[in-house]
């Protein structure tokens, strides 16, 4: 909503995400300059995982109350049409009240944010945590990744700048983002892939030297920063020599944070992305043809959502009764409840547990049922993100892709369920996230079979050609799509 934005935030990071700490024109990093990163990186990684686990645990408790204890006490079916509509509408109302009344308004309009953004003011954190927990428990079709990453970046940045004010300003957001992504996926690999994309994008945009372990204290920001420059950018960026040191030097601290975050999650909650799909029998010529069809079709369906997104967002902002967060989110919750009655209970929530239910029985639904769940999930994702719910899009997109892949298997039984799922997930994620490495990694881990990886790499090429250079599922402040 137009008024959702908080007061002026701390110095912004580059649009592609926080600068990855690295060496610049100073001597290349050495063990002596990298070792001081170990302790803060470990601390940030563990703390980031604990925030994620804490929010998830509270949301799970509240979900049990909302969807089991309360309807049982009232004598109402747990996932009856009436209860889905009432619960999601009430969730929208509760989130809207928090956004309207709590200081910081739970952060900026979520339609304008991504997975990794500039640090928010610390006073935004309580409201953002509260609305995230409510949305996760209430059945909203969004994941925790965006708001939890924003919370951890805000907290780590705020604490880090006070504990070590002379440290490079880009260090803390990079560590927090890496630690959170590592915790979300239970492995540092996803964080390394996303941050390497961010680093490559920064270099490609001509951004100059960035702060890192090889620089002197306080060189991450300076009075010479020009307007609109992110931390670590200096006036005349692009005119000086590029960052020195290997990619491992640049990612040394973030990889430690991601590893600590992933390990903490694994030790505490034992997550797994293996869907338990039927074993993949090996690649044949028919599999290649299927992959080259399914991934682009999934990407095209994802792009339909991306193109619809600004129009749905504009609808919630243009109607007089919906210009404020309480009525907008209440109406959004009502729409989500109606969509839930159409698609069934599996189309509720972030989708990670629900997709495992689908994968456990690929023959359990008809092609029409799988297609309906795909469309409903994507519609719910679009509505939730456009009306003002805070949440991420990765996990709902995984559910939609999995349902689409199983629909392909139901239509053409020769298409292996594992192949259909991973190719469709790849295509949908490429369109919605625009993170190529993350999409490829997520699709690959769902099958837990490395023999399918070469096929995924080939299938990604036509899908990427469909999405690159086109609008993203992210808006500027004026409502126009980012590119």
């Amino acid at each position: 909503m137009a008024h959702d934005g908080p007061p002026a935030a701390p110095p912004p990071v580059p649009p592609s995400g926080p600068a990855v700490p690295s060496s610049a024109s100073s001597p290349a990093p050495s063990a002596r300059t990298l070792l001081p990163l170990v302790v803060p990186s470990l601390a940030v990684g563990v703390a980031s995982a604990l925030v994620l686990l804490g929010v998830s645990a509270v949301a799970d408790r509240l979900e049990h109350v909302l969807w089991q204890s309360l309807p049982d006490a009232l004598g109402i079916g747990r996932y009856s049409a009436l209860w889905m509509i009432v619960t999601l509408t009430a969730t929208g109302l509760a989130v809207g009240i928090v956004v309207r009344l709590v200081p910081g308004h739970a952060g900026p309009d979520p339609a304008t944010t991504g997975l990794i953004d500039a640090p928010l003011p610390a006073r935004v954190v309580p409201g953002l945590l509260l609305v995230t927990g409510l949305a996760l428990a209430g059945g909203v079709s969004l994941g925790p990744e965006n708001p939890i990453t924003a919370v951890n970046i805000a907290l780590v940045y705020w604490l880090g700048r006070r504990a070590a004010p002379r440290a490079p300003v880009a260090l803390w957001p990079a560590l927090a983002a890496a630690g959170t992504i590592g915790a979300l996926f239970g492995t540092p690999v996803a964080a390394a892939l996303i941050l390497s994309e961010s680093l490559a994008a920064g270099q490609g945009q001509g951004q100059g030297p960035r702060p890192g372990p090889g620089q002197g204290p306080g060189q991450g920001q300076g009075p010479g920063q020009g307007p609109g420059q992110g931390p670590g950018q200096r006036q005349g960026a692009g005119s000086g020599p590029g960052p020195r040191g290997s990619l491992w030097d640049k990612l040394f601290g973030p990889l430690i944070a991601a590893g600590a975050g992933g390990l903490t999650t694994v030790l505490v909650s034992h997550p797994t992305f293996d869907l338990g799909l039927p074993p993949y029998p090996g690649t044949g010529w028919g599999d290649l043809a299927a992959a080259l069809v399914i991934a682009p079709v999934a990407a095209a369906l994802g792009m339909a959502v991306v193109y619809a997104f600004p129009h749905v967002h504009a609808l919630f902002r243009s109607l007089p009764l919906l210009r404020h967060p309480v009525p907008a989110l209440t109406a959004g919750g009502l729409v989500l409840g109606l969509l839930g009655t159409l698609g069934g209970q599996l189309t509720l929530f972030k989708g990670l547990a629900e997709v495992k239910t689908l994968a456990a029985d690929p023959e359990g639904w008809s092609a029409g049922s799988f297609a309906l769940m795909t469309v409903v999930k994507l519609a719910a994702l679009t509505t939730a993100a456009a009306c003002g719910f805070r949440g991420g899009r990765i996990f709902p997109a995984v559910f939609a892709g999995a349902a689409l892949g199983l629909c392909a298997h139901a239509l053409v039984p020769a298409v292996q369920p594992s192949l259909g799922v991973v190719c469709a997930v790849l295509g949908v994620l490429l369109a919605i996230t625009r993170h190529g490495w993350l999409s490829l990694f997520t699709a690959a881990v769902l099958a837990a079979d490395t023999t399918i990886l070469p096929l995924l790499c080939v299938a990604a090429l036509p899908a990427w050609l469909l999405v690159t250079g086109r609008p993203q599922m992210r808006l500027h402040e004026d409502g126009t799509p980012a590119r």
Side-chain angles (χ1 to χ4, degrees):
M1 305 304 102
H3 67 283
D4 283 357
V13 293
S16 57
V20 179
S22 61
S23 296
S25 55
S26 55
S30 64
R32 184 175 61 84
T33 60
L34 292 175
L35 278 175
L37 291 175
V38 172
V39 173
S41 299
L42 288 172
V44 168
V46 172
S48 298
L50 292 177
V51 171
L52 171 65
L53 293 170
V55 172
S56 299
V58 172
D60 288 344
R61 292 283 187 96
L62 181 57
E63 177 187 331
H64 181 84
V65 171
L66 292 177
W67 294 96
Q68 296 183 39
S69 302
L70 192 54
D72 289 351
L74 296 174
I76 302 174
R78 291 181 177 181
Y79 291 97
S80 64
L82 174 63
W83 191 249
M84 283 193 280
I85 293 173
V86 168
T87 303
L88 280 156
T89 303
T91 298
L93 175 62
V95 171
I97 291 173
V98 173
V99 172
R100 179 69 181 89
L101 299 180
V102 172
H105 305 294
D109 183 351
T112 66
T113 63
L115 180 60
I116 303 175
D117 285 314
L120 296 173
R123 70 189 190 94
V124 170
V125 168
L128 187 53
L129 284 173
L130 184 54
V131 298
T132 301
L134 289 171
L136 290 173
V140 176
S141 292
L142 293 172
E145 57 272 21
N146 287 23
I148 296 299
T149 304
V151 163
N152 283 336
I153 288 176
L155 290 175
V156 170
Y157 181 86
W158 184 80
L159 291 170
R161 295 297 291 159
R162 282 153 181 78
R166 294 176 65 80
V169 70
L171 174 66
W172 307 114
L175 295 182
T180 307
I181 296 169
L184 281 163
F185 290 91
T187 170
V189 176
L193 294 175
I194 290 178
L195 291 175
S196 64
E197 278 188 348
S198 176
L199 182 64
Q203 291 175 343
Q205 292 166 2
Q207 292 172 358
R210 292 184 175 186
Q215 291 182 338
Q219 285 181 275
Q221 64 177 353
Q225 250 181 349
Q229 291 176 309
Q233 292 176 269
R234 302 174 184 171
Q235 289 182 346
S239 59
R244 298 182 63 185
S246 71
L247 180 62
W248 280 93
D249 289 327
K250 301 179 181 74
L251 295 178
F252 182 77
L255 274 177
I256 294 175
L263 187 58
T264 302
T265 302
V266 168
L267 292 174
V268 174
S269 64
H270 312 289
T272 176
F273 281 86
D274 183 4
L275 299 183
L277 290 163
Y280 182 61
T283 303
W285 290 106
D287 296 329
L288 176 60
L292 291 174
V293 172
I294 294 172
V297 168
L301 184 60
M303 285 306 303
V305 171
V306 173
Y307 278 110
F309 183 60
H311 300 289
V312 179
H313 181 263
L315 178 65
F316 279 100
R317 297 186 67 173
S318 62
L319 295 179
L321 292 178
L322 302 182
R323 289 179 182 173
H324 298 282
V326 175
L329 283 156
T330 303
L334 174 60
V335 173
L336 292 178
L338 293 172
L339 288 171
T341 64
L342 179 62
Q345 70 183 68
L346 289 179
T347 60
L348 302 179
F349 303 101
K350 63 183 179 183
L352 189 56
E354 291 72 22
V355 75
K356 293 180 180 179
T357 302
L358 290 184
D361 187 11
E363 314 296 336
W365 290 268
S366 66
S369 297
F370 283 127
L372 177 63
M373 285 189 280
T374 301
V375 173
V376 168
K377 191 66 173 182
L378 290 174
L381 167 60
T382 307
T383 301
C387 74
F389 283 106
R390 274 63 173 167
R393 294 121 190 219
I394 295 174
F395 296 130
V398 168
F399 178 93
L404 179 61
L406 292 174
C407 176
H409 166 69
L411 288 172
V412 184
V415 174
Q416 297 292 330
S418 299
L419 176 69
V421 167
V422 298
C423 290
V425 167
L426 173 64
V428 174
L429 282 176
L430 284 173
I432 289 180
T433 70
R434 221 57 61 90
H435 286 295
W437 281 121
L438 176 65
S439 303
L440 191 60
F441 167 79
T442 304
V445 299
L446 295 179
D449 188 340
T450 57
T451 61
I452 207 169
L453 189 56
L455 199 59
L456 278 175
C457 293
V458 174
L461 301 180
W464 183 255
L465 292 177
L466 277 176
V467 305
T468 187
R470 301 187 187 276
Q472 301 180 26
M473 197 172 178
R474 179 175 179 173
L475 306 179
H476 296 298
E477 293 293 339
D478 61 0
T480 58
R483 287 183 179 266

